[in-house]
Amino acid sequence: MSLRKILVLDGVTAVCRFRDDGVVMEAEGLLPQDLMERLAKFAQWYRRLVSGNTDLLSLFTQMRGWSPSQGWIVQGASTTVCSWGNVVCMFQSAEGSLNEVMQALRDVANE
């Protein structure tokens, strides 16, 4: 599945694949290049933050299954940004299905 197959999902405005250092590898969508680069950097930074927190949660609770983290979701008033692995997506919450978008992100990230 390519990034374009995610882009055609209802409400999706931008999607990109990024390297572990946050540099954009490929991108599709309505965002200008500079905003796409900022989205990728945000996703890389947020993934590291979530991973650190899940590692601590796993350590403190002594429960398996929290780590490693797989993906994350941040929802605003009208827009959602979510990621799985090194793929991040921005979509309009009222227009799209979060479950559908997350499944598509997982499929693309695991290719």
Side-chain angles (χ1 to χ4, degrees), residues 7 11 21-22 28 38 41 45 51 55 70 81 89 93 96 100:
L7 186 61
D21 61 359
E28 297 286 342
R38 290 172 63 188
K41 279 289 191 188
W45 171 83
S51 292
D55 288 346
Q70 301 283 323
V81 177
C89 172
S93 305
E100 186 178 16

Side-chain angles (χ1 to χ4, degrees), residues 9-103:
L9 295 175
D10 290 340
V12 174
T13 56
V15 60
C16 72
R17 184 185 313 268
F18 57 93
R19 295 189 325 211
D20 287 338
D21 61 359
V23 173
V24 174
M25 294 172 56
E26 57 182 313
E28 297 286 342
L30 304 175
L31 290 181
Q33 183 64 29
D34 64 320
L35 291 180
M36 199 67 82
E37 290 170 2
R38 290 172 63 188
L39 177 63
K41 279 289 191 188
F42 167 76
Q44 180 259 348
W45 171 83
Y46 203 80
R47 187 180 85 180
R48 293 180 68 188
L49 178 78
V50 168
S51 292
N53 286 339
T54 55
D55 288 346
L56 285 173
L57 182 62
S58 180
L59 178 70
F60 291 137
T61 63
Q62 294 295 304
M63 294 172 60
R64 293 178 177 232
W66 292 106
S67 185
S69 58
Q70 301 283 323
W72 52 265
I73 301 164
V74 175
Q75 289 185 305
S78 63
T79 304
T80 299
V81 177
C82 50
S83 180
W84 194 277
N86 283 23
V87 183
V88 64
C89 172
M90 179 182 291
F91 73 98
Q92 299 305 308
S93 305
E95 298 175 27
S97 164
L98 181 58
N99 288 336
E100 186 178 16
V101 169
M102 288 303 287
Q103 181 62 51

